[in-house]
Amino acid sequence: MKNLILTVLHHYSYPVVEPFIRSLKATRYDGDLVIFVSASTSKATKRLLAKQGAILIEFSTTYPFNDSYTAVFEDISPEITLNNYRFLFYLKYLQDNPGKYGNVMLTDIRDVVFQKNIFDGIAPDKIYFFLEDASEIFRTSKLNYNWSLLANGPEVTNKMINENVSCAGIVAGSGIHIISYLKYIQTRLKFRADLHWGIDQGLHNAYIYTQANPKAMVIPNTQALVLTLGACSTFKQLANGDIVNGRGEPYHVIHQYDRFGDLLMYFKEKYVGSRLMQKFKKVLFAILP
């Protein structure tokens, strides 16, 4: 069976996501890349994404966002935000394609680059969650604590008070286990009026720390699979450009690289072009339909 990467693109032009696309291609990934693209995405961006082999599924910003996806939004408030309803897109796509895919990656797109094929680093019949820096715990992270309060209430949040926060931006694993995870998110989104930004992060962590799943692999930020940089104070980069852990092992995926200005410029220059080329592409895609 093929592997699958699922992501969402909204408000961004091709040069913004070019590091994601080109770095993924450099890993020789041969599975499917499905991108849910908003109606505001330019034709030029969609044309280039399709040329790179992406499968594009369009959605509007008006509930229920895609007419063929109405059922998956049953009992869910029209006030739901994109960071929450992306999970419902992923669930519906997987339900519509049973048995087609082996392992699946759910990922952000704007701030993600690949150094190696992530599927080479994960085992079958597992689901992988990726922790942020070890310093990022609910007790001291006001933002994550408040998101969890909104999503889960004080009882669950206080049970997780000393746990390391996991970022909801990347999840990977067997399609079967990914669907179970997404169904949990869907169930927790139902019959709520408070579907604000950040609810997804709270629900994601509640799944990890309250749902007993023997197939779940909770991966520390020091393991060379996914590096989440948001709460990191530094990172290690080799002379060849690879981002590595303390043992010198290159990470498969770098997430939130834009939190470090020098790293942002490195990946932009590597995958988008010189600063002059970056400016040219920015202007070009601002005027192209």
Side-chain angles (χ1 to χ4, degrees), residues 4 7 12 25 29 33 35 47 76 88 98 100 104 106 124 136 144 172 187 190 195 232 238-239 252 265 276:
L4 170 67
T7 189
Y12 300 129
K25 189 172 183 179
Y29 171 69
L33 169 62
I35 306 176
R47 186 165 56 248
I76 292 177
L88 304 178
K100 185 175 180 179
V104 177
L106 317 177
E136 190 78 349
N144 280 286
T187 299
K190 290 186 175 185
L195 296 177
C232 294
L238 300 181
H252 288 69
M265 291 312 303
L276 182 61

Side-chain angles (χ1 to χ4, degrees), residues 12 143 160 178 184 228 236 282:
Y12 300 129
L143 190 61
M160 303 190 300
I178 292 287
Y184 171 86
T228 304
K236 185 177 181 180
K282 184 177 181 179

Side-chain angles (χ1 to χ4, degrees), residues 117-273:
N117 187 337
I118 189 172
F119 297 108
D120 292 341
I122 64 176
D125 197 33
K126 301 287 185 182
I127 183 168
Y128 290 74
F129 302 103
F130 304 100
L131 298 178
E132 299 192 29
D133 188 75
S135 65
E136 190 78 349
I137 64 173
F138 287 94
R139 182 181 293 277
T140 55
S141 174
K142 183 177 180 181
L143 190 61
N144 280 286
Y145 182 83
N146 287 335
W147 281 341
S148 183
L149 279 179
L150 282 171
N152 306 307
E155 183 177 353
V156 169
T157 299
N158 288 325
K159 284 181 179 178
M160 303 190 300
I161 194 74
N162 292 315
E163 299 290 359
N164 196 169
V165 174
S166 170
C167 181
I170 298 179
V171 179
S174 162
I176 294 172
H177 299 307
I178 292 287
I179 287 175
S180 295
Y181 162 77
L182 292 171
K183 284 183 175 179
Y184 171 86
I185 301 292
Q186 180 192 39
T187 299
R188 296 291 312 281
L189 290 173
K190 290 186 175 185
F191 306 109
R192 303 181 66 128
D194 59 342
L195 296 177
H196 305 301
W197 196 268
I199 293 288
D200 61 320
Q201 179 87 336
L203 297 180
H204 168 82
N205 279 276
Y207 180 89
I208 295 169
Y209 292 118
T210 69
Q211 303 298 300
N213 183 352
K215 300 295 186 179
M217 306 291 289
V218 182
I219 307 299
N221 215 25
T222 53
Q223 187 170 327
L225 197 51
V226 172
L227 174 62
T228 304
L229 283 165
C232 294
S233 59
T234 188
F235 61 91
K236 185 177 181 180
Q237 187 172 23
L238 300 181
N240 68 358
D242 282 350
I243 310 300
V244 299
N245 65 8
R247 295 180 294 277
E249 302 164 332
Y251 285 91
H252 288 69
V253 178
I254 311 300
H255 184 206
Q256 298 176 347
Y257 63 85
D258 60 340
R259 273 50 167 192
F260 291 85
D262 52 346
L263 193 55
L264 172 64
M265 291 312 303
Y266 170 76
F267 284 126
K268 278 191 171 184
E269 290 182 359
K270 182 175 182 178
Y271 293 115
V272 183

Side-chain angles (χ1 to χ4, degrees), residues 77-139:
S77 169
E79 303 304 315
I80 189 170
T81 54
L82 173 59
N83 64 306
N84 293 310
Y85 66 71
R86 58 181 168 158
F87 294 97
L88 304 178
F89 287 166
Y90 302 157
L91 176 59
K92 183 66 164 60
Y93 185 84
L94 289 171
Q95 289 175 330
D96 286 349
N97 292 276
K100 185 175 180 179
Y101 297 107
N103 285 325
V104 177
M105 178 188 189
L106 317 177
T107 182
D108 293 345
I109 190 169
R110 177 188 57 81
D111 58 356
V112 170
V113 293
F114 297 85
Q115 297 192 136
K116 298 194 288 182
N117 187 337
I118 189 172
F119 297 108
D120 292 341
I122 64 176
D125 197 33
K126 301 287 185 182
I127 183 168
Y128 290 74
F129 302 103
F130 304 100
L131 298 178
E132 299 192 29
D133 188 75
S135 65
E136 190 78 349
I137 64 173
F138 287 94
R139 182 181 293 277

